[in-house]
DNA sequence: CGTCTCGTTGAGAGTTTTCAATGTAAGTGG
DNA sequence: CCACTTACATTGAAAACTCTCAACGAGACG
C-alpha cells in the first residue's frame, strides 16, 4: 500500500528516498469490509484515505467540523489513513508535499468546476451520461442508487434514463 | 495592487522580502472597464486575476484547453495577471508559493464541495438563500440575472423567489 | 423458503423552465 | 431636457422535467 502511495506521489513531484521513508511514518493502514463505515455523518472527519484516490469529507477534515457525509466501503478495501495533525506536520516536514497537494487539489478543482457546471446546467440525462462517460468502470461496479445520489437525482429517474438509453 | 497581493499571501504563508520582490516580476497589471472582456468563450485562458479573489476558467488555464466561460468585468476593475508559464515558474522559483496555492486550493475545494452539495440537493429557494447569505455584499451589487446564472436557475425563477421572500 | 437490497414501473404532484408581454430605470444623443 | 434605446426585472400561463409514493420484480444470501 505505501509503495502505491509513494509511486503516486512521484508521478507528480520529486520525492527523495529519505523523504519517502519519513512519509511512511505519517500514515497507518486500515482494512474495511463491505458496508463498514469510515466516517458517519455527525462525526468529525479525522482521516484521509487513498485508493488511487484521496477521500474524505474535506470540509470536516480541514475545518474540524461535523461531517455532512457518510463514507462507507462499497467493496472490501485497504486504506491508508492520515490524521489531520499528521497531514499538517507532513507538509511542514516535507515541503515538497505542499507541491504534491497543490497539484492534486488543482486537478481536483478542475474536476469539481466541471461537475458544478454540469450540475447547474444539465438535464438528468446529461448528468447521467457525463458520469458514465467519465467513469465507466465505476458506473459498472456500484449500485445505481449511489450514482443517483452522486448526481443529485432520484433512483427512479436514473432507472428511467437507463431504460430510455437502452432503446436508442 | 501588488501590495495587496503580497499581504494576501502573507496571511497564509511566510514570504521573505527577497521572494516578495521576485514575486512582483511574475505579474502584470491590467485595468478593465465595465463589461470589458478578460476572457471569451473559445479562447484559451492565459491568465489568472486577483481581486481579493483569483479568477479564471481554471480548466482552460491549467489544461490549456478552450474556455467554456466568459469572464468580463461587472464593474471597473484593476487586475493583476499572471500567465500560465509564469505561474509554473513561480512555484519553482518560490517553493513557498506551492504551499500558498495548496492552502488556497484546499479552501476552494471545501467551498466547491459545499456548492456542489447545494446544487445537487437543494431547491431553487434554498440555493438563492445560501448564495445571499454567504455573499450578501455581492448579492446586492450584481444583477439578479447573474445570480441566477451562478446558481443554474432562470432569471424568472430568481425573481419569483425574491417576491415570495419579500412577503414572508 | 423468507428476507433483504436493489431496481423497475406507473401515476400524480410539485417544481422549474420557457415563451411572451409588460414594466422600469438608467444611459445616450439630439 | 426630452425622446429613444438598452438592459434588467417582473408577471402570467403553459410546457417540461423530476420527484414522490406505492406497488411489484429479481437476485443474493442466510
Amino acid at each position: 500500500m505505501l509503495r502505491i502511495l509513494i509511486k503516486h506521489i512521484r508521478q507528480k513531484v520529486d520525492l527523495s528516498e529519505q523523504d519517502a521513508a519519513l512519509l511512511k511514518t505519517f500514515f497507518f493502514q486500515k482494512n474495511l469490509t463491505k458496508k463498514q463505515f469510515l466516517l458517519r455523518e455527525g462525526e468529525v472527519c479525522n482521516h484521509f484515505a487513498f485508493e488511487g484516490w484521496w477521500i474524505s469529507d474535506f470540509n470536516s477534515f480541514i475545518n474540524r467540523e461535523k461531517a455532512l457525509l457518510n463514507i462507507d466501503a462499497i467493496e472490501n478495501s485497504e486504506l491508508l489513513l492520515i490524521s489531520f495533525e499528521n497531514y499538517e506536520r507532513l507538509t511542514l516536514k516535507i515541503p515538497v508535499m505542499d507541491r504534491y497537494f497543490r497539484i492534486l487539489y488543482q486537478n481536483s478543482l478542475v474536476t469539481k468546476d466541471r461537475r458544478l457546471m454540469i450540475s447547474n446546467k444539465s438535464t438528468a440525462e446529461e448528468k447521467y451520461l457525463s458520469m458514465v462517460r467519465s467513469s465507466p468502470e465505476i458506473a459498472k461496479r456500484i449500485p445505481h442508487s449511489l450514482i443517483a445520489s452522486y448526481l443529485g437525482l432520484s433512483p427512479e429517474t436514473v432507472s428511467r434514463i437507463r431504460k430510455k438509453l437502452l432503446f436508442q
Side-chain angles (χ1 to χ4, degrees), chain A:
Chain A
M1 280 291 284
L2 280 160
R3 267 183 217 161
I4 298 174
L5 172 62
I6 287 166
K7 189 177 162 197
H8 193 264
I9 292 170
R10 284 185 166 153
Q11 285 172 358
K12 293 195 161 62
V13 298
D14 287 328
L15 187 73
S16 70
E17 279 306 318
Q18 201 174 354
D19 282 345
L22 178 57
L23 179 120
K24 291 177 183 177
T25 66
F26 287 87
F27 290 84
F28 66 95
Q29 188 156 352
K30 178 166 187 169
N31 294 325
L32 288 186
T33 58
K34 196 171 169 176
K35 298 200 185 178
Q36 198 178 352
F37 277 88
L38 176 63
L39 175 70
R40 284 179 190 276
E41 192 181 339
E43 295 176 347
V44 174
C45 184
N46 277 311
H47 301 99
F48 237 42
F50 176 81
E51 182 249 37
W53 285 74
W54 297 79
I55 55 171
S56 82
D57 181 321
F58 206 49
N59 178 56
S60 177
F61 185 76
I62 297 298
N63 295 325
R64 320 308 301 141
E65 294 180 6
K66 287 185 179 177
L68 299 174
L69 304 175
N70 288 302
I71 299 178
D72 65 347
I74 300 171
E75 302 177 353
N76 292 344
S77 310
E78 292 177 83
L79 310 176
L80 283 181
L81 304 182
I82 183 166
S83 69
F84 178 68
E85 291 72 20
N86 272 357
Y87 168 70
E88 299 230 295
R89 268 183 239 136
L90 179 65
T91 60
L92 292 171
K93 299 280 185 191
I94 310 179
V96 77
M97 289 305 288
D98 271 328
R99 184 174 179 83
Y100 169 76
F101 285 117
R102 191 266 291 169
I103 295 170
L104 188 75
Y105 295 165
Q106 179 175 293
N107 292 333
S108 182
L109 276 174
V110 169
T111 305
K112 285 214 198 292
D113 275 345
R114 192 175 300 134
R115 275 186 71 187
L116 198 49
M117 204 177 324
I118 289 168
S119 176
N120 271 343
K121 308 227 170 171
S122 300
T123 63
E125 183 174 327
E126 289 166 336
K127 290 181 197 176
Y128 179 75
L129 281 173
S130 78
M131 190 276 159
V132 172
R133 282 178 185 148
S134 68
S135 308
E137 0 44 68
I138 294 178
K140 275 176 217 142
R141 266 164 75 177
I142 69 175
H144 298 154
S145 55
L146 284 184
I147 298 180
S149 166
Y150 174 84
L151 296 173
L153 300 172
S154 70
E156 294 93 333
T157 296
V158 167
S159 173
R160 285 185 255 266
I161 288 168
R162 287 172 50 79
K163 185 182 178 186
K164 187 185 162 201
L165 292 175
L166 280 177
F167 288 98
Q168 278 178 357

